[in-house]
Amino acid sequence: MTAALPEPESTLPFLPYGRQVIEADDIAAVTAALQGDFLTTGPLVGKFESALAATVRAQEAVVCSNGTAALYIAAKALGLKPGSKVIVPSLTFLATASAPHLAGAEIVFADVDPDTGLMRAEDFEWALARAGNADAVFNVHLNGQCGAIEAIHEIARRHGLKIVDDACHALGTSYRLGGAEKMVGENALSDMTVFSFHPVKTVTMGEGGAVTVNDARLADALRLHRNHGMTRDAEEFETTEDAFERPGHPNPWYYELVEPGFNWRATDIQCALGLTQLAKLTRFAARRRALAAAYDSLLAPLKPALMPVAHTECLPTLHLYPVLIDFAACGHTRTEVMARLRDEGIGTQVHYYPVHRQRYYADRYGHTDLPGADRYYARALSLPFYASMVLSDVVRVAEALRRVLHL
């Protein structure tokens, strides 16, 4: 289980819960981009989009400035607007709910499995019943795992909902469908998939996001909403007097506003880094799986007071390694545990405070009883987990947990 891991000693006195892995070729690629002709949108944008689409087996990828922007342009591409309703599991980062809400939709929060943090089929159906009707579901692949995606797909299609997979944690994750391996991002069971390339993700662009899609019309809509809601496509021009010198000859300077929007474009600098990082996905994924297996083994004796988040039936490339701790049984609050681990040079984090409990949404929609999300949150703690960790780091964290929790 641990033989494949290298054995050098860790050089970090403090282990953060997550961090980027930047190597010499990454730095060289960014330097070359800085010395090139384009700093913002240039040829590296298209190259990264092609590489990402090929990696996850999607027909197209549309890259943008960050994962939140990716969620937003996905919502706009679906035509979400005031009066729309979107189902979102409560155990996620704010952006999964706030992006479609900023596009105009109202959010209906779904509960999750208390041991995985993932939305189950029954959670989805219960949220749909509360909503009365809905237009889309933004399903979250929390920590890098995907849950009941086949059941959620069947329910969504039966009710006429579009499906956006929030896979900001799940680049490199795959699952079985009808005996075949499918990549998260391939969109075998969704309309679009959203990724993030924040520094603590498996692959980073510094900041960056993307949407993968197999529908050319949706891809065009994503590009429109990435770029101010404006078009330079002459076939879409309607103000013909200003757009054309004469029929069939558009003015080369002309562009037309279809719908006011924002600048969510990615830069060539970001995509230069993204390209070199994406080429390392297989290596990074293998290391994360080996580290997760080491954690699973070393933490097994600490059950039931401490348990790793339950495994699902996918092959995950984990973004986070969370554990579920019975803090009351251990005689310490979570804040105390985090402080004592920090004193030992170990950083931790909580993913996430349930979004339905956030002040804005609680004020807007009132109290929603989501016991699964509340129970997951009450026990969750994310441990150090990134591709440059070594086995001695995992041993150090496990031993510190045993001491701090008196297990």
Side-chain angles (χ1 to χ4, degrees), residues 81-94:
K81 58 187 182 299
S84 300
K85 292 181 184 178
V86 175
I87 308 296
V88 175
S90 183
L91 232 299
T92 184
F93 182 58
L94 300 170

Side-chain angles (χ1 to χ4, degrees), residues 53-363:
T55 297
V56 301
R57 306 172 190 163
Q59 291 183 17
E60 298 192 62
V62 178
V63 67
C64 56
S65 54
N66 53 63
T68 302
L71 288 161
Y72 179 82
I73 64 175
K76 294 294 289 185
L78 289 180
L80 298 180
K81 58 187 182 299
S84 300
K85 292 181 184 178
V86 175
I87 308 296
V88 175
S90 183
L91 232 299
T92 184
F93 182 58
L94 300 170
T96 315
S98 293
H101 184 53
L102 286 168
E106 297 300 332
I107 307 303
V108 180
F109 290 106
D111 205 1
V112 299
D113 185 319
D115 295 325
T116 66
L118 296 163
M119 181 170 62
R120 300 162 294 190
E122 58 265 34
D123 301 320
F124 182 31
E125 290 192 299
W126 184 76
L128 272 172
R130 286 173 43 236
N133 59 76
D135 301 274
V137 55
F138 280 46
N139 188 26
V140 178
H141 299 323
L142 188 70
N143 302 322
Q145 296 198 114
C146 43
I149 51 176
E150 287 188 71
I152 288 168
H153 172 268
E154 190 278 325
I155 296 164
R157 294 307 193 227
R158 177 158 35 93
H159 290 272
L161 276 67
K162 296 295 186 181
I163 303 169
V164 175
D165 280 347
D166 180 342
C168 290
H169 290 191
L171 181 65
T173 293
S174 64
Y175 59 94
R176 304 294 296 181
L177 179 64
E181 180 197 44
K182 298 293 182 181
M183 296 297 298
V184 168
E186 188 172 347
N187 294 306
L189 295 171
S190 58
D191 296 286
M192 289 181 277
T193 302
V194 172
F195 293 104
S196 167
F197 305 105
H198 182 274
V200 296
K201 299 301 197 300
T202 301
V203 163
T204 185
M205 294 169 62
E207 286 279 5
V211 186
T212 61
V213 63
N214 298 335
D215 183 319
R217 291 173 297 177
L218 283 176
D220 288 342
L222 290 166
R223 295 187 185 99
L224 176 76
H225 293 293
R226 171 179 69 180
N227 188 28
H228 299 281
M230 67 180 228
T231 182
R232 294 182 182 272
D233 185 346
E235 294 183 0
E236 297 180 2
F237 293 162
E238 295 184 4
T239 312
T240 54
E241 181 179 348
D242 295 327
F244 296 91
E245 181 181 22
R246 62 183 185 276
H249 293 269
N251 289 315
W253 48 264
Y254 187 79
Y255 52 86
E256 195 162 290
L257 182 67
V258 178
E259 177 183 348
F262 299 99
N263 173 9
W264 298 125
R265 297 189 302 266
T267 70
D268 259 33
I269 302 168
Q270 289 171 288
C271 290
L273 178 57
L275 278 163
T276 54
Q277 287 271 300
L278 193 61
K280 304 172 189 181
L281 177 59
T282 299
R283 170 161 60 94
F284 287 171
R287 169 56 61 85
R288 285 174 176 265
R289 287 171 182 150
L291 291 168
Y295 265 132
D296 287 348
S297 177
L298 290 168
L299 297 178
L302 306 187
K303 296 177 181 179
L306 180 152
M307 296 188 297
V309 165
H311 295 185
T312 66
E313 293 183 0
C314 66
L315 177 61
T317 296
L318 292 180
H319 156 52
L320 299 168
Y321 189 89
V323 292
L324 304 176
I325 301 173
D326 186 341
F327 292 101
C330 294
H332 300 292
T333 68
R334 179 162 49 193
T335 301
E336 290 170 341
V337 170
M338 293 178 74
R340 291 177 183 182
L341 287 170
R342 187 173 186 85
D343 288 343
E344 297 211 21
I346 295 168
T348 55
Q349 188 53 275
V350 177
H351 298 91
Y352 293 101
Y353 182 65
V355 186
H356 77 282
R357 292 171 59 172
Q358 287 284 351
R359 179 178 65 186
Y360 175 85
Y361 291 111
D363 288 347

Side-chain angles (χ1 to χ4, degrees), residues 9-28:
E9 290 297 317
S10 173
T11 58
L12 291 179
F14 183 83
L15 300 175
Y17 85 88
R19 74 188 307 268
Q20 68 276 10
V21 179
I22 301 297
E23 298 170 326
D25 60 333
D26 301 309
I27 296 169

